[in-house]
């Protein structure tokens, strides 16, 4: 029986281990952590005859080596044990690549980019479902890709060769949000349609240089049969047709700003399609039916409509999906309104560019909650947007002192270091009343790992604190009203 090792006991790692086990591999799963939750998973997987080793790293000592190593998305591709594995000739792939090898008989949409990919992926998934296609969203959103593969009934001539699956009773499309980490570890992943939303500096602590980061993203698009690009992105548009001559480009600014002679653009509140240099422009859907605010969401809309049309989906299904699409949790998510103040959760804004977009998308003046685990990047645009839109900034997490210094350097002094979200929410509400600010916005411009497991948990905490605050204030107000007059 062939042996495989999976590194990382998260959702992706567990799904990969189960998929390999189903295909006849002897599977070992390793994770350096030892939490109670992981120990419970260890017992559950042991019952499925999957060995789990906690609190230890994979060691390759030359005896009984695995034939395959599968890496979860959060595991760096260049750690010493993986470098050694490749030197020893052990095939090393990511969880996304494993899913692709099982589902390559199906058409895929692969969405990548620095910002915007989650909203674009969710919108594409909603359109495909409105067209009555079974098209689960997976990868960085929804299911792990290997969970989708597990849901399909597959038969293979041999469980250990990378032959094309004979898929029966399966899904219609795979809609995958694919991070740079997942592209990096996927050698043969080749979607039917590849989408590139934006490109700005991010994850440089892992990828080292902007050129490396770009080349990783570009690999997915080069291996895609059809390509959709955000033509309003400064970096991607500069490369334009010289780098991507066959792509479908998009622009919210109209036909005159379309980079090529084919693409999708906005004109007179319509998304307009032009599929070739000789084809007539065709209106597809009204932009105003989209409930999400901000120009960046119009860009996401264009890329989603372009993908749907290239997949052959009709206008009625597109219009239905867009009209009913509620938006994405943690991305400019409206939580509640208290005394005319909107509380908005933008926890997914984990870098300066995303946080700048968040500020640009809401009414001003705004009370901003920012901070967490700081990332490398250019903060000048974000700081300028704070200057123009924020009445006050509340700083949380390990980045608070650094952010305070940067705000001082650009002449902004209306900030308060509050350290935690528990302190930030009530203080933000007080400041919103003081400054008559219509919005309290959590848009951290930081990773969450100093205080939270991920940005979702951070956003969930903010949401609960806001709802609890508003409820307590309402109860206090009602108590005052019901008190007898002296």
């Amino acid at each position: 029986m062939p042996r495989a090792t999976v590194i990382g006991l998260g959702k992706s790692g567990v799904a990969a281990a189960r998929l390999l086990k189903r295909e006849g591999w002897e599977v070992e799963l390793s994770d350096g952590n030892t939490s109670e939750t992981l120990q419970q998973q260890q017992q559950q997987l042991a019952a499925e005859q999957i060995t789990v080793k906690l609190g230890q790293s994979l060691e390759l000592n030359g005896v009984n080596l695995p034939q395959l190593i599968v890496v979860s998305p959060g595991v760096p591709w260049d750690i010493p044990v993986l470098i050694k594995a490749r030197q020893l000739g052990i095939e090393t792939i990511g969880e996304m690549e494993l899913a692709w090898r099982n589902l390559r008989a199906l058409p895929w949409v692969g969405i990548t980019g620095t910002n915007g990919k989650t909203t674009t992926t969710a919108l594409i998934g909603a359109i495909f479902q409105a067209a009555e296609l079974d098209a689960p969203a997976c990868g960085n959103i929804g299911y792990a890709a290997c969970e989708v593969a597990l849901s399909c009934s597959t038969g293979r001539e041999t469980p250990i060769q990378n032959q094309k699956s004979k898929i029966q009773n399966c899904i219609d499309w795979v809609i995958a949000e694919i991070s740079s980490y997942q592209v990096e570890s996927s050698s043969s992943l080749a979607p039917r349609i590849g989408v590139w939303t934006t490109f700005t500096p991010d994850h440089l602590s892992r990828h080292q240089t902007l050129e490396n980061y770009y080349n990783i993203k570009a690999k997915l698009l080069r291996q895609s049969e059809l390509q959709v690009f955000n033509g309003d992105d400064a970096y991607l548009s500069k490369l334009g047709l010289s780098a991507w001559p066959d792509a479908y480009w998009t622009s919210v600014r109209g036909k005159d700003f379309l980079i090529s002679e084919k693409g999708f653009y906005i004109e007179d509140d319509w998304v307009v399609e032009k599929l070739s240099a000789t084809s007539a422009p065709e209106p597809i859907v009204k932009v105003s039916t989209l409930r999400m605010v901000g120009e960046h969401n119009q860009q996401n809309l264009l890329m989603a409509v372009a993908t749907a049309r290239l997949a052959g989906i009709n206008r009625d299904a597109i219009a239905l999906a867009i009209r009913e699409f509620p938006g994405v949790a943690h991305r400019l998510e409206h939580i509640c309104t208290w005394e005319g103040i909107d509380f908005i959760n933008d926890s997914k804004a984990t870098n300066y560019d995303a946080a700048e977009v968040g500020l640009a998308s809401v009414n001003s003046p705004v009370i901003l909650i920012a901070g967490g685990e700081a990332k490398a990047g250019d903060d000048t645009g974000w700081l300028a947007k704070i200057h123009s839109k924020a009445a006050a900034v509340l700083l949380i997490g390990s980045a608070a002192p650094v952010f305070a210094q940067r705000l001082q350097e650009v002449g902004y002094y209306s900030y308060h270091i509050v350290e935690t979200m528990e302190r930030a929410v009530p203080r933000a509400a007080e400041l919103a009343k003081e400054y008559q600010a219509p919005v309290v916005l959590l848009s951290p411009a930081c990773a969450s790992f100093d205080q939270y497991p991920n940005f979702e948990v951070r956003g969930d905490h903010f949401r609960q604190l806001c709802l609890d605050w508003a409820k307590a204030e309402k109860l206090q107000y009602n108590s005052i009203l019901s008190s007898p007059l002296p």
Side-chain angles (χ1 to χ4, degrees):
M1 184 181 293
R3 295 185 65 249
T5 294
V6 179
I7 302 177
L9 189 55
K11 180 170 64 173
S12 297
V14 170
R18 285 176 169 151
L19 182 59
L20 288 165
K21 184 67 179 177
R22 189 184 73 177
E23 298 203 330
W25 293 78
E26 179 187 340
V27 183
E28 179 181 287
L29 205 160
S30 68
D31 196 297
N33 297 313
T34 58
S35 70
E36 185 177 335
T37 301
L38 294 183
Q39 290 172 14
Q40 292 171 354
Q41 283 186 300
Q42 182 183 40
Q43 294 174 5
Q44 182 180 356
L45 291 167
E48 301 174 34
Q49 297 182 308
I50 296 172
T51 302
V52 177
K53 293 185 176 180
L54 297 177
Q56 54 186 290
S57 300
L58 174 65
E59 294 183 0
L60 302 172
N61 295 321
V63 291
N64 205 20
L65 294 174
Q67 286 80 52
L68 176 68
I69 296 175
V70 179
V71 183
S72 297
V75 178
W77 192 236
D78 57 355
I79 58 175
V81 70
L82 295 184
I83 294 172
K84 183 178 180 181
R86 291 191 284 271
Q87 290 171 344
L88 291 170
I90 300 171
E91 185 177 20
T92 306
I93 63 173
E95 178 263 345
M96 182 69 70
E97 172 75 9
L98 179 64
W100 163 255
R101 293 181 181 186
N102 280 265
L103 297 173
R104 64 193 305 161
L106 295 170
W108 282 51
V109 177
I111 302 99
T112 196
T114 309
N115 298 310
K117 56 185 180 291
T118 297
T119 302
T120 303
T121 302
L123 191 47
I124 290 170
I127 294 172
F128 278 58
Q129 287 160 29
E132 299 184 349
L133 294 168
D134 190 353
C138 67
N140 254 20
I141 182 176
Y143 301 102
C146 280
E147 286 183 297
V148 176
L150 278 166
S151 73
C152 289
S153 171
T154 64
R156 287 171 173 259
E157 294 178 16
T158 160
I160 62 173
Q161 294 176 353
N162 297 323
Q163 297 185 14
K164 194 172 185 178
S165 297
K166 303 169 185 175
I167 299 179
Q168 302 163 342
N169 303 321
C170 197
I171 57 180
D172 299 308
W173 283 77
V174 179
I175 313 296
E177 179 188 332
I178 307 173
S179 71
S180 56
Y181 301 173
Q182 291 163 316
V183 177
E184 188 177 34
S185 59
S186 299
S187 57
S188 66
L189 176 59
R192 174 77 58 82
I193 304 170
V195 182
W196 196 335
T197 59
T198 55
F199 185 75
T200 53
D202 199 9
H203 305 301
L204 297 186
S205 59
R206 173 151 166 175
H207 300 312
Q208 305 304 319
T209 69
L210 193 64
E211 183 180 14
N212 286 343
Y213 181 43
Y214 173 84
N215 287 334
I216 289 166
K217 296 277 191 191
K219 183 175 81 168
L220 180 73
L221 275 292
R222 291 192 186 104
Q223 293 180 183
S224 299
E225 185 179 332
L226 300 170
Q227 302 156 344
V228 175
F229 279 81
N230 175 6
D232 296 320
D233 180 84
Y235 195 101
L236 297 176
S237 62
K238 194 179 297 182
L239 296 170
L241 294 177
S242 61
W244 305 98
D246 298 320
Y248 292 85
W249 292 85
T250 65
S251 180
V252 300
R253 294 177 291 173
K255 182 179 178 181
D256 292 343
F257 291 89
L258 207 59
I259 289 172
S260 71
E261 293 184 320
K262 62 181 184 181
F264 294 75
Y265 57 92
I266 292 176
E267 188 173 83
D268 298 330
D269 193 39
W270 282 89
V271 172
V272 179
E273 165 188 286
K274 196 172 189 305
L275 291 179
S276 71
T278 56
S279 64
E282 183 179 351
I284 303 299
V285 66
K286 272 190 167 291
V287 177
S288 55
T289 57
L290 183 69
R291 285 189 267 174
M292 296 184 295
V293 299
E295 184 178 278
H296 67 292
N297 278 320
Q298 294 182 3
Q299 293 168 345
N300 297 335
L301 171 66
L302 279 171
M303 290 180 284
V305 171
T307 300
R309 293 296 288 166
L310 293 175
I313 293 175
N314 66 48
R315 285 177 291 184
D316 290 342
I318 292 171
L320 173 64
I322 290 167
R323 190 166 58 247
E324 297 184 350
F325 188 69
V328 176
H330 312 296
R331 191 65 179 119
L332 291 170
E333 173 193 9
H334 181 268
I335 302 300
C336 62
T337 300
W338 170 76
E339 294 198 9
I341 303 161
D342 291 327
F343 289 76
I344 296 177
N345 168 24
D346 198 31
S347 182
K348 199 175 190 306
T350 59
N351 56 52
Y352 298 118
D353 295 285
E356 182 183 345
V357 167
L359 276 167
S361 301
V362 299
N363 293 327
S364 58
V366 60
I367 306 301
L368 174 66
I369 301 171
E373 185 178 286
K375 289 183 176 181
D378 183 358
D379 63 0
T380 53
W382 176 65
L383 292 169
K385 194 64 70 175
I386 287 175
H387 244 306
S388 65
K389 298 205 66 165
V393 180
L394 299 176
L395 299 173
I396 63 173
S398 61
V402 178
F403 280 6
Q405 183 178 342
R406 288 293 291 133
L407 288 168
Q408 285 186 40
E409 288 170 0
V410 298
Y412 186 96
Y413 297 98
S414 184
Y415 67 84
H416 310 266
I417 295 178
V418 294
E419 297 180 345
T420 67
M421 198 74 77
E422 289 90 347
R423 295 174 183 169
V425 168
R427 185 75 176 114
E430 293 168 7
L431 289 169
K433 290 191 74 175
E434 180 182 334
Y435 288 101
Q436 296 186 318
V439 173
V440 169
L441 173 68
L442 169 67
S443 192
C446 282
S448 57
F449 304 124
D450 58 332
Q451 294 179 319
Y452 299 94
N454 52 52
F455 73 81
E456 292 98 337
V457 175
R458 176 173 62 191
D460 290 341
H461 190 207
F462 174 74
R463 182 192 299 111
Q464 193 59 53
L465 288 168
C466 291
L467 294 174
D468 289 347
W469 167 264
K471 183 179 179 182
E473 289 296 307
K474 185 176 180 180
L475 287 172
Q476 184 178 352
Y477 178 73
N478 289 339
S479 176
I480 293 169
L481 287 181
S482 61
S483 297
L485 292 172

